[in-house]
Amino acid sequence: MDECRPLSRIFLFGIQHVLVMAATPISAIFLMSATLRLDHRLTVDLLSAAFVLSGVGSLIQSLGPWKFGPRLPFMMLPGGAPLVLFLAIAEQHGLRTASGAVVLTAVFTFVVLPAFSRLLRFFPPLVIGTMIVIVGVNLVKVGAVLVTGRPGERGFADTTNLGLGMATIGFTVVFYLFFSGILRQLAVMLGLLAGTVLAAAVGAMDLGQVAGNSVVNVPQLMPLGSPEFNLLAALPLMLYSVASMAEATGQTVINAEAVGKDIDARTAVPKTIRGDALTSLFGGLFGLPLMVTSGENIGIVRVTGVRSRFVTAAAGIVLIVIGFLAPVTRAISVVPSAVVGGTAMVVFAVITVLGVQMLGRSDLDKHTSTFICAVALALGLLPILIPGVYAGFPPNIRILLESGVAVGAVVAAVLNILFHHVRPAVATRLTASRTESD
C-alpha cells in the first residue's frame, strides 16, 4: 500500500480511477445546473471546481498530511445525498444560503467529531439504510427530470430527449453485459460517451459553446455569492453529516481490509472524517455541495490488486489538471442534459440498492424494525412524491418538512430510540419493580 511504483505506471492506474468516478461529479454538476437553472458560464466554473476539489480531497485522504486523511487509497467526489439537500436549501432559501449551509456543516462536523462515537449508536443500519433509500429515490427523480424536463413546461417529455436518455441507459447495460473486469466497471462512463456520440449524430448537441480562447480555467471563489449562514436551513444537512460519519467509518474499515492494512479505527476513522470536512469546507466556498469519500474505487483496488495509495494520489493530480483545463471542462459542459440524466439515473439508482442492502442487514424480520422503516419511508417519501404538500405551513417549519431525507432520518432515529432503547429500559424497570413488590 505504501509502495511508490514508476510514475508512468502510477499515473496509468490513476487515470483508471478517474474514469470510473468521473461520471459522478459530472452528473452532480449537471443536476445542479438544470435544477437551479444556472447559466453556462457558471456551470463550467462549478464543473472545474468539482474536479479540482475532488482531486484535492483525494490527495488529502491518500497522503494523510498531519491529522487529515487515513493514508488509504481513497477518492473524493460531490456526495449524492448532500446534493439533494443542497438543492432543496438552494430552491427554498437561495444559492448563498445553500453555500453557507455547506460551510456550517463542515464546521459542525469538526465540532461533533469528538462525541461521534456516542451518537453512532442512534444511527444503526436500520436508520442509515432507510435514509439512503429515500436519498436514492429522490436522486433518481431529479435525474429523470434531466431527461423529461419539468411537467407543465415547454418541451416536457420530448421524444428526442427521451430517446437519448433511454439509449444512454441501454448502452450502459450492453457494455456491462458484454464486458468484464475493468471495462465492466467503466460501463457507466462508456455509456455516457456513447450517448454523447449519438446526440452529436442526431444534431442534439450545441457545439458552439465549446469554442473559447482561454486554455486555463481557474475556479472562482464564491461563484454563487458570499455565503449566508442560516442554522435552521442548514439543519437537514447537519443531521445528514452524522450519518455520513457513520458511512465513512464503514468505508475506512472496508478500504483497510481491501489493501491488507491493520488500522486502529479510533484514530483512522477521525482522520477520514476530518479529510471530508476540510474538503467540504473549501467546497462550500467554491459553490459545491458536501464532498465525501467514494466507495467506488475500493472495488477497483479489489479487482486490480493495485493497493498503492500513491495511485489514488496520482488520480487526484489528474483530476486537478482536468479541472484547470478550460477546453476539457467546456467540452464536458455541452453534453446534452438528457444523456447526463440517463447516466445519473443509473448511477444514483445504485444508491437506492445500497440502502436496500443495508436494510437487509437490519433484522427486518422483527416487527418493530419493519414498522420503524415503514413509517420513516412513508413520511420521508411524502414531500418527494407530492411536491408542495407542506406549502401551507410556516416557512421555518417547511424547511424541515420538505426535506424528505431529513424527515426520514429524524423519524427513523426517534422511533429507533423509542422502540429499541426507551421501551426496553422502561420494561426492565417495570419488571424490576414488580419483582420487588412480590
Side-chain angles (χ1 to χ4, degrees):
M1 189 200 66
D2 294 318
E3 185 178 2
C4 186
R5 305 290 291 174
L7 288 178
S8 58
R9 182 174 294 183
I10 283 179
F11 274 99
L12 184 62
F13 285 121
I15 291 172
Q16 181 174 258
H17 279 277
V18 171
L19 290 174
V20 171
M21 58 79 68
T24 301
I26 293 172
S27 301
I29 299 305
F30 270 74
L31 286 172
M32 282 182 60
S33 179
T35 304
L36 303 176
R37 294 177 171 81
L38 307 179
D39 59 47
H40 181 260
R41 182 196 60 78
L42 183 54
T43 301
V44 171
D45 190 76
L46 291 174
L47 189 59
S48 174
F51 278 113
V52 171
L53 266 296
S54 294
V56 170
S58 300
L59 284 170
I60 291 173
Q61 301 290 25
S62 300
L63 301 180
W66 196 44
K67 296 184 179 180
F68 296 90
R71 295 188 178 183
L72 290 169
F74 264 132
M75 299 291 292
M76 288 197 68
L77 42 75
L83 174 62
V84 172
L85 297 173
F86 180 91
L87 294 177
I89 295 170
E91 288 184 316
Q92 294 173 27
H93 303 281
L95 292 168
R96 295 170 63 186
T97 303
S99 293
V102 174
V103 174
L104 284 174
T105 303
V107 174
F108 172 79
T109 301
F110 283 117
V111 173
V112 171
L113 184 55
F116 166 64
S117 58
R118 299 177 183 176
L119 295 174
L120 188 59
R121 66 193 184 101
F122 298 120
F123 287 84
L126 176 65
V127 176
I128 298 176
T130 302
M131 182 180 63
I132 292 177
V133 169
I134 297 172
V135 167
V137 172
N138 200 353
L139 283 171
V140 171
K141 178 184 175 182
V142 175
V145 171
L146 289 178
V147 178
T148 64
R150 295 176 181 271
E153 294 186 354
R154 184 179 179 182
F156 172 68
D158 179 78
T159 53
T160 301
N161 289 334
L162 284 173
L164 287 174
M166 296 303 126
T168 301
I169 295 175
F171 286 135
T172 304
V173 172
V174 169
F175 291 139
Y176 199 86
L177 177 64
F178 290 104
F179 290 161
S180 60
I182 299 303
L183 287 177
R184 170 175 277 191
Q185 291 194 336
L186 295 176
V188 173
M189 194 68 187
L190 294 174
L192 176 67
L193 294 174
T196 303
V197 172
L198 178 62
V202 300
M205 286 183 65
D206 182 10
L207 299 177
Q209 295 178 326
V210 177
N213 297 324
S214 60
V215 177
V216 177
N217 182 48
V218 179
Q220 181 184 350
L221 185 64
M222 294 184 288
L224 308 179
S226 301
E228 291 185 353
F229 303 107
N230 185 328
L231 280 173
L232 192 59
L235 187 58
L237 206 54
M238 291 179 177
L239 287 172
Y240 170 80
S241 70
V242 179
S244 179
M245 285 188 267
E247 184 179 357
T249 301
Q251 287 189 343
T252 303
V253 173
I254 291 172
N255 202 338
E257 291 176 355
V259 299
K261 180 180 180 180
D262 292 328
I263 62 169
D264 183 354
R266 292 173 296 181
T267 57
V269 170
K271 290 181 179 180
T272 302
I273 295 172
R274 288 191 203 102
D276 285 357
L278 182 63
T279 310
S280 295
L281 182 63
F282 285 108
L285 297 176
F286 282 92
L288 300 176
L290 284 180
M291 306 290 290
V292 298
T293 49
S294 168
E296 297 173 4
N297 66 297
I298 300 175
I300 303 177
V301 171
R302 287 179 170 174
V303 170
T304 63
V306 180
R307 304 178 179 185
S308 175
R309 59 190 175 94
F310 295 104
V311 168
T312 48
I317 294 174
V318 172
L319 286 169
I320 293 172
V321 171
I322 292 174
F324 280 117
L325 288 177
V328 175
T329 51
R330 284 199 300 266
I332 294 173
S333 68
V334 300
V335 178
S337 61
V339 174
V340 177
T343 301
M345 289 173 66
V346 175
V347 171
F348 294 133
V350 173
I351 295 177
T352 308
V353 177
L354 293 176
V356 173
Q357 288 178 339
M358 188 169 289
L359 287 175
R361 303 192 298 267
S362 305
D363 295 328
L364 286 182
D365 53 333
K366 295 181 179 179
H367 294 300
T368 53
S369 297
T370 303
F371 182 79
I372 291 169
C373 181
V375 174
L377 286 175
L379 295 178
L381 291 174
L382 179 60
I384 297 172
L385 301 177
I386 308 179
V389 65
Y390 297 117
F393 285 75
N396 288 338
I397 298 177
R398 198 166 67 241
I399 293 173
L400 297 177
L401 294 179
E402 290 185 347
S403 173
V405 179
V407 170
V410 170
V411 171
V414 170
L415 291 181
N416 178 69
I417 292 171
L418 291 175
F419 280 94
H420 294 156
H421 294 275
V422 176
R423 188 168 181 265
V426 172
T428 300
R429 289 186 178 182
L430 289 176
T431 302
S433 299
R434 290 171 183 171
T435 303
E436 290 176 1
S437 298
D438 293 342

